[in-house]
């Protein structure tokens, strides 16, 4: 054999009426706010390591750009509110983790908006339940903004 075998083609990923996430189908998904919280915890841990005399890992350009992105687009900035929203979403077992993370990141106001942006919600949750969920998320955001 002259070359190594070709890897199999990746499964097609599609977020439509049904979720087809390929290799990411059963992977835990994070909201932008949760990812921001994790990155801040990692950076704080790195900074503590350098104070203890151990070698601190340098911050990379990719890390800084990712953090800038998350600072701009994360809807919830403090740990308590982020965890509260994650707990609210955790009560909806019929939703996939991807759908939950999208709802937390997008903070849709109307049911139609949520179903347009996340089409797989259409057959999983009633409009009344989805409206209640969106209202709970929006209440957390408004509480945070005031």
């Amino acid at each position: 054999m002259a070359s190594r075998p070709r890897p199999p083609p990746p499964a097609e990923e599609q977020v439509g009426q049904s979720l087809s996430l390929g290799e990411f189908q059963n992977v835990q998904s994070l909201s932008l706010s949760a990812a921001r919280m994790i990155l801040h915890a990692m950076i704080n841990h790195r900074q503590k390591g350098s104070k203890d005399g151990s070698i601190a890992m340098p911050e990379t350009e990719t890390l800084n750009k990712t953090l800038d992105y998350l600072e701009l687009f994360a809807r919830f900035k403090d740990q308590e509110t982020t965890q509260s929203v994650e707990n609210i979403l955790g009560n909806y077992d019929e939703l996939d983790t991807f759908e939950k993370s999208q709802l937390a990141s997008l903070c849709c106001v109307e049911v139609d908006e949520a179903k347009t942006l996340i089409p797989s919600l259409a057959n999983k949750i009633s409009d009344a339940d989805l409206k209640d969920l969106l209202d709970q998320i929006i209440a957390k955001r408004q509480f945070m903004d005031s």
Side-chain angles (χ1 to χ4, degrees):
M1 195 177 227
S3 65
R4 63 182 164 209
R6 234 181 237 189
E12 185 153 335
E13 298 165 8
Q14 181 179 353
V15 180
Q17 290 295 328
S18 64
L19 288 177
S20 176
L21 300 176
E23 65 183 291
F24 301 104
Q25 188 66 38
N26 296 315
V27 175
Q28 182 68 32
S29 180
L30 296 174
S31 68
L32 296 176
S33 299
R36 178 187 169 276
M37 192 171 64
I38 290 170
L39 269 183
H40 277 291
M42 182 190 72
I43 290 169
N44 288 338
H45 180 72
R46 284 182 177 182
Q47 289 172 346
K48 286 180 183 176
S50 65
K51 292 176 184 172
D52 294 343
S54 61
I55 300 173
M57 295 183 66
E59 291 184 13
T60 64
E61 181 181 355
T62 303
L63 175 64
N64 290 330
K65 286 184 177 183
T66 302
L67 194 54
D68 289 345
Y69 177 87
L70 293 173
E71 290 294 338
L72 185 61
F73 292 107
R75 301 292 184 158
F76 307 102
K77 305 292 184 185
D78 65 286
Q79 183 175 354
E80 182 179 322
T81 308
T82 301
Q83 288 177 337
S84 179
V85 170
E86 296 292 327
N87 289 338
I88 291 168
L89 290 164
N91 294 328
Y92 292 84
D93 294 330
E94 65 271 23
L95 300 180
D96 189 78
T97 60
F98 175 80
E99 294 162 334
K100 292 176 185 180
S101 66
Q102 290 302 299
L103 287 169
S105 294
L106 296 170
C107 288
C108 300
V109 176
E110 298 296 326
V111 170
D112 289 338
E113 178 186 14
K115 287 186 173 184
T116 299
L117 296 173
I118 313 165
S120 61
L121 292 175
N123 300 322
K124 290 190 175 181
I125 187 170
S126 71
D127 286 356
D129 288 343
L130 182 56
K131 179 64 177 159
D132 182 50
L133 172 59
L134 297 176
D135 288 345
Q136 289 179 60
I137 293 171
I138 293 300
K140 293 294 181 185
R141 186 163 181 222
Q142 290 173 346
F143 175 75
M144 183 191 71
D145 291 341
S146 56

